């Protein structure tokens, strides 16, 4: 996310785990002191203003608090740093009252000592929001805050005075937001990492290095002890967190193992406590008398899709894009490669997102139809693939992503008669490439920041208000997204979002939705699944509860 803004990029077919707020009760099992997890890759950043991907945000969730959170079961917005909030009658002004017992802490890895710095205040929220929007920060996710009055104008350089941005600390414990238009979903945005309080003193002292161990100030349940880049990252319990008495873990040990097979071998060897299950191992795990009891599978709010650089031939032609989409046998991919109970995707937004037509039987998306795919490619001027130019499909380095890419590559060759070149890059480099110089086709995953279609269609593909990595513009699509965001009528919003999804995924085939994700993980018996929400969706949901019976 850089100037044209960002997007949630899902790292591998791997469920991740956020952490620890509640104890298991007086009669529960003895609680462990630490847990061992795999991040899957190096976090590109721990700066909340700059984070765009699931890996970075997973760690940030343990380090930094937001004004709001989401209820684990209902997905309703609930207080976190905020204690309460009010909304003006016209829906434009949101006023949050904040708790007074949250503090910034500094942890010294050398001495293992915590120092309380000062309270977290409304001024830190104002500073954090304005820093994210400041064009000098170069936040690729700043566009999420464009709903705030003058947020876009400030981020684009149209105005230069931050005082004109619609966020203001009325006093130490009250922060007020003024919006560009009513937005019932703003309570969710207010809890996102880009809107979280940020420690001005540490940022001004250490600059780009402020998130390194020994420099960083945090206010969450954990602090940063170790960050050996490309290797491991360690978090330690913050004793000064306001709910520290209910945090059972003393330490979270992350490794950064990219290959899912290697990570799962570590799990079987007792080196990891929770781990994603590679698709190649699912059948074995289900048949194993021990591993089958540790296996867990459930849907979650993410979609796997292919994006295009719609300005580059041959995918600048919508007939080519439609042909490519109709030539993907999504169900066969799930049955033979993924094997994790995923569902074929016909929309960008997955089931469970307000406004998504994913489960609407009247919404006809693109599904596997080889004859139609062949005809569309012929209509585009490439009968049986003749004369089709070289095309590259890029994915981030991962066994799982490679298997998916090879399946789709083979399907396109068999159905359409075209040869597609596969290429892969390490995660951080991959993100930079997708932002600056994407190939014709690339894979991506999107997980919900908040459960509303606005977060999916408008914030990703609107030609001016979203990240729009696909470099696509459709006035009718833009208008539908804008009208849906502005109206408070739920039925009308659903109607408009269905229209936007049809334009995006069917009429223009500007992306190819592939499947809706599931969590496919194993966890050790001492991880109490009943009280654990394994979660990799980027719903600003801060912590899950872990009851552990070991050590």
């Amino acid at each position: 996310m850089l100037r044209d803004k960002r997007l949630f990029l899902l790292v591998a077919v791997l469920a991740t785990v956020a952490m620890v707020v509640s104890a298991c009760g007086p009669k529960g099992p003895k609680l462990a002191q630490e847990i061992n997890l795999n991040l899957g890759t190096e976090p590109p950043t721990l700066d909340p203003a700059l984070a765009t991907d699931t890996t970075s945000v997973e760690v940030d969730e343990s380090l930094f608090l937001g004004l709001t959170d989401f209820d684990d079961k209902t997905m309703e917005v609930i207080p976190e740093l905020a204690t309460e909030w009010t909304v003006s009658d016209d829906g434009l002004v949101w006023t949050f009252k904040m708790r007074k017992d949250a503090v910034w802490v500094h942890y010294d890895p050398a001495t293992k000592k915590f120092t309380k710095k000062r309270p977290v205040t409304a001024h830190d929220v104002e500073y954090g929001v304005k820093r994210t929007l400041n064009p000098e920060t170069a936040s690729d996710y700043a566009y999420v805050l464009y709903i705030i009055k003058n947020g876009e104008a400030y981020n684009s350089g149209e105005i230069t005075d931050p005082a004109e941005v619609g966020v203001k600390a009325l006093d130490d414990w009250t922060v007020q937001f003024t919006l560009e238009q009513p937005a019932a979903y703003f309570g969710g945005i207010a809890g996102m990492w880009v809107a979280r309080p940020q420690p001005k003193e540490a940022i001004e002292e250490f600059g780009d290095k402020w998130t390194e161990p020994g420099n960083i100030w945090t206010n969450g349940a954990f602090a940063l002890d170790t960050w050996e880049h490309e290797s491991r990252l360690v978090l330690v319990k913050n004793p000064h967190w306001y709910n520290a008495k209910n945090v059972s873990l003393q330490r979270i040990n992350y490794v950064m193992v990219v290959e899912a097979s290697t990570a799962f071998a570590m799990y079987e060897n007792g080196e990891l406590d929770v781990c994603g299950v590679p698709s190649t191992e699912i059948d074995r795990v289900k048949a194993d008398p021990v591993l089958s009891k540790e296996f867990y599978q459930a849907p979650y709010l993410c979609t796997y899709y292919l994006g295009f650089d719609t300005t580059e031939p041959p995918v600048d032609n919508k007939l080519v894009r439609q042909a490519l989409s109709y030539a993907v046998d999504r169900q066969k991919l799930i049955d033979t490669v993924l094997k994790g109970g995923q569902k074929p995707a016909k929309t960008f937004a997955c089931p469970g997102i307000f406004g998504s037509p994913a489960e609407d039987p009247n919404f006809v998306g693109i599904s596997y139809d080889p004859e139609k795919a062949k005809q569309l490619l012929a209509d585009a001027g490439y009968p049986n693939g003749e004369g089709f130019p070289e095309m590259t499909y890029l994915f981030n380095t991962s066994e799982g992503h490679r298997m998916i890419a090879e399946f789709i590559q083979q399907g396109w060759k068999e159905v359409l008669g075209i040869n597609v070149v596969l290429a892969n890059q390490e995660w951080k480099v991959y993100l930079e490439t997708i932002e600056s110089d994407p190939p014709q086709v690339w894979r991506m995953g999107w997980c919900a920041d908040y459960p509303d279609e606005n977060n999916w269609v408008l914030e990703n593909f609107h030609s001016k208000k979203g990240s729009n990595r696909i470099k696509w513009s459709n006035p009718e699509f833009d208008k539908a997204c804008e009208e849906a965001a502005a109206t408070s009528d739920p039925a009308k919003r659903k109607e408009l979002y269905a229209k936007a999804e049809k334009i995006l995924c069917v009429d223009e085939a500007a992306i190819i939705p592939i499947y809706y994700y599931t969590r496919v993980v194993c966890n050790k018996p001492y991880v109490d699944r009943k009280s654990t929400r394994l979660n990799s969706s980027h719903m600003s949901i801060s912590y899950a509860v872990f009851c552990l019976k070991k050590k």
Side-chain angles (χ1 to χ4, degrees):
M1 314 188 133
L2 282 89
R3 204 75 326 245
D4 60 341
K5 306 320 155 278
R6 142 302 30 155
L7 159 164
F8 264 126
L9 316 134
L10 195 58
V11 181
V13 188
L14 172 69
T16 56
V17 188
M19 283 280 91
V20 188
V21 226
S22 302
C24 302
K27 296 183 180 180
K30 182 178 180 181
L31 300 182
Q33 298 299 303
E34 60 185 73
I35 193 167
N36 302 306
L37 305 170
N38 181 29
L39 276 176
T41 189
E42 163 82 0
T45 181
L46 295 186
D47 188 334
L50 300 179
T52 66
D53 65 298
T54 55
T55 308
S56 301
V57 175
E58 177 179 345
V59 180
D60 278 348
E61 289 290 342
S62 295
L63 300 177
F64 302 100
L65 300 173
L67 287 171
T68 63
D69 196 357
F70 287 91
D71 181 270
D72 292 355
K73 296 180 180 180
T74 67
M75 300 310 297
E76 292 179 343
V77 177
I78 58 175
E80 190 167 81
L81 281 175
T83 57
E84 60 180 340
W85 55 89
T86 59
V87 184
S88 62
D89 291 342
D90 62 5
L92 293 176
V93 180
W94 291 59
T95 306
F96 294 83
K97 292 287 187 180
M98 293 175 59
R99 63 189 308 139
K100 300 179 181 180
D101 55 355
V103 296
W104 291 108
V105 299
H106 172 262
Y107 175 74
D108 185 347
T111 63
K112 308 298 181 185
K113 291 183 178 180
F114 280 87
T115 302
K116 285 200 293 186
K117 305 303 289 187
R118 60 172 178 79
V120 179
T121 72
H123 302 284
D124 298 317
V125 178
E126 179 182 352
Y127 171 78
V129 169
K130 290 180 176 178
R131 177 173 175 263
T132 297
L133 286 168
N134 189 329
E136 294 182 2
T137 304
S139 168
D140 292 332
Y141 221 66
Y143 72 89
V144 176
L145 302 178
Y146 284 1
I147 190 64
I148 298 171
K149 186 174 178 61
N150 287 327
E152 182 176 10
Y154 181 52
N155 187 241
S156 66
E158 182 181 336
I159 64 173
T160 58
D161 184 0
E164 296 184 49
V165 177
V167 55
K168 183 178 181 181
L170 303 183
D171 55 44
D172 286 349
W173 314 113
T174 309
V175 62
Q176 187 173 87
F177 293 85
T178 302
L179 308 185
E180 290 280 356
Q181 64 187 36
Y185 48 83
F186 182 71
I189 292 178
M192 290 178 59
W193 54 99
V194 286
R196 293 185 181 182
Q198 297 172 26
K200 182 178 181 179
E201 296 94 325
I203 294 169
E204 290 185 346
E205 180 177 358
F206 296 106
D208 293 342
K209 299 294 185 181
W210 81 271
T211 56
E212 292 294 317
N215 298 344
I216 191 171
W217 290 17
T218 56
N219 58 30
F222 290 85
L224 180 63
D225 176 85
T226 304
W227 189 3
E228 295 177 4
H229 294 279
E230 308 291 345
S231 177
R232 69 188 186 105
L233 187 148
V234 178
L235 306 181
V236 292
K237 177 182 173 178
N238 171 15
H240 301 298
W241 187 52
Y242 54 78
N243 200 25
K245 66 180 181 180
N246 287 326
V247 177
S248 59
L249 296 186
Q250 299 295 318
R251 187 179 178 97
I252 305 172
N253 302 309
Y254 285 114
V255 294
M256 304 173 190
V257 177
V258 174
E259 297 303 342
S261 59
T262 302
F264 195 68
M266 294 174 65
Y267 174 83
E268 292 194 84
N269 195 41
E271 298 172 71
L272 294 174
D273 298 314
V274 182
C275 186
V277 182
S279 58
T280 54
E281 299 286 357
I282 290 178
D283 291 340
R284 177 176 71 86
V285 168
K286 289 181 176 179
D288 187 280
V290 175
L291 291 174
S292 61
K293 295 178 181 179
E294 301 173 1
F295 182 76
Y296 178 82
Q297 177 180 307
Y300 71 117
L301 302 180
C302 299
T303 299
Y304 195 107
Y305 74 99
L306 300 186
F308 297 108
D309 181 345
T310 60
T311 67
E312 286 292 321
V315 295
D316 58 340
N317 185 334
K318 75 174 184 180
L319 297 177
V320 171
R321 300 194 300 264
Q322 289 173 329
L324 293 171
S325 188
Y326 278 108
V328 176
D329 191 341
R330 296 158 176 81
Q331 190 62 58
K332 185 177 180 181
L333 170 68
I334 292 167
D335 293 341
T336 63
V337 176
L338 300 174
K339 302 180 181 180
Q342 297 85 357
K343 299 294 184 182
K346 61 179 182 179
T347 58
F348 181 49
C350 59
I353 300 300
F354 175 83
S356 172
E359 296 182 319
D360 182 351
N362 296 317
F363 184 90
V364 180
I366 288 180
S367 57
Y368 183 56
D369 189 334
E371 294 307 314
K372 189 166 187 175
K374 291 176 183 177
Q375 184 60 56
L376 284 163
L377 195 67
D379 292 344
Y382 307 106
N384 299 315
E386 296 173 10
F388 195 81
E390 181 175 292
M391 187 171 75
T392 298
Y393 174 148
L394 182 66
F395 59 94
N396 54 295
T397 304
S398 154
E399 293 167 330
H401 295 324
R402 177 172 290 280
M403 292 168 62
I404 293 169
E406 290 174 346
F407 176 92
I408 293 174
Q409 177 194 45
Q410 182 62 29
W412 284 344
K413 182 175 179 62
E414 291 176 355
V415 173
L416 301 175
I418 63 175
N419 295 305
V420 177
V421 176
L422 301 184
N424 66 285
Q425 294 178 338
E426 178 272 327
W427 182 236
K428 187 174 182 179
V429 176
Y430 180 79
L431 298 187
E432 294 170 352
T433 299
I434 296 305
E435 289 292 345
S436 61
D437 187 25
Q440 292 105 323
V441 185
W442 36 270
R443 62 74 47 189
M444 198 59 67
W446 181 262
C447 296
D449 300 333
Y450 53 93
D452 191 283
E453 264 275 22
N454 185 77
N455 178 235
W456 294 70
V457 289
L458 185 144
E459 291 183 1
N460 278 285
F461 304 119
H462 190 286
S463 61
K464 295 182 175 63
K465 299 179 183 293
S467 59
N468 196 23
R469 281 198 176 94
I470 60 175
K471 304 178 185 178
W472 175 68
S473 177
N474 182 286
E476 190 177 5
F477 172 86
D478 286 355
K479 182 180 179 182
C481 292
E482 291 168 10
E483 290 181 357
T487 183
S488 59
D489 181 346
K492 183 64 174 177
R493 295 189 76 219
K494 289 180 180 180
E495 177 185 330
L496 289 165
Y497 283 134
K499 179 179 181 179
E501 285 273 13
K502 184 174 183 295
I503 294 169
L504 175 70
C505 300
V506 183
D507 299 344
E508 290 284 319
I511 64 168
I512 304 180
I514 302 295
Y515 63 86
Y516 305 127
Y517 274 82
T518 54
R519 295 174 292 231
V520 183
V521 299
C522 275
N523 58 263
K524 296 297 184 181
Y526 44 76
V527 178
D528 186 352
R529 187 178 298 158
K530 292 181 181 179
S531 58
T532 303
R533 178 165 46 78
L534 300 174
N535 142 50
S536 181
S537 75
H538 273 192
M539 302 286 312
S540 275
I541 299 173
S542 300
Y543 305 108
V545 179
F546 274 83
C547 293
L548 301 137
K549 309 172 189 174
K550 69 169 187 175
K551 302 176 186 175

